[in-house]
Amino acid sequence: MKISVILPVFLGDFEGAAAHRGQKFIRAVRSFMAQTYKDKELIVISDGDPQVSKMLKSNFNGGLANGWIKLVDHQEHRGFIGAVRQSGIDIATGDVLCNLDSDDEFMK
């Protein structure tokens, strides 16, 4: 059974945004990569933020290369989280879907 994790990300400024979101995003991806279950994929949806692609490539190039991490890179900020998540769901190949926010993390 394959698990698809949907992770929408927008690191730009907005009212009520959490502090250190870039660091939290990296922590979220690391928590996914640290899971021992092998049949998995992480679908990162960049909501119009070019930083996301750069951060993924510089920190998780191996995950991108082996297919564990997929990137959906929207060119403009959509704002509505439902539409952003749906674009990840549309390409998910897992039997089970799971959401992970960019400021959360999976426990071991």
Side-chain angles (χ1 to χ4, degrees):
M1 176 171 41
K2 186 173 187 176
I3 298 175
S4 295
V5 178
I6 311 299
L7 174 61
V9 184
F10 179 72
L11 300 176
D13 290 329
F14 62 92
E15 186 177 334
H20 311 291
R21 289 191 342 271
Q23 293 169 349
K24 291 176 181 178
F25 165 59
I26 295 299
R27 181 188 70 189
V29 177
R30 281 193 181 124
S31 76
F32 167 84
M33 295 297 289
Q35 299 302 306
T36 58
Y37 191 78
K38 299 296 182 200
D39 199 8
K40 62 185 178 182
E41 67 181 353
L42 177 66
I43 303 170
V44 177
I45 305 103
S46 171
D47 191 17
D49 192 338
Q51 295 179 72
V52 174
S53 176
K54 291 176 188 173
M55 291 174 83
L56 274 179
K57 289 175 184 172
S58 66
N59 290 283
F60 303 102
N61 203 33
L64 288 163
N66 72 17
W68 277 2
I69 300 174
K70 296 178 182 175
L71 176 62
V72 176
D73 198 4
H74 294 297
Q75 297 303 311
E76 60 185 52
H77 181 52
R78 294 181 175 200
F80 176 60
I81 194 68
V84 176
R85 285 191 199 280
Q86 187 63 51
S87 63
I89 291 168
D90 290 344
I91 67 162
T93 60
D95 304 297
V96 175
L97 297 178
C98 177
N99 287 306
L100 177 64
D101 289 333
S102 61
D103 62 348
D104 289 336
E105 65 183 304
F106 287 126
M107 301 307 291
K108 291 184 179 183

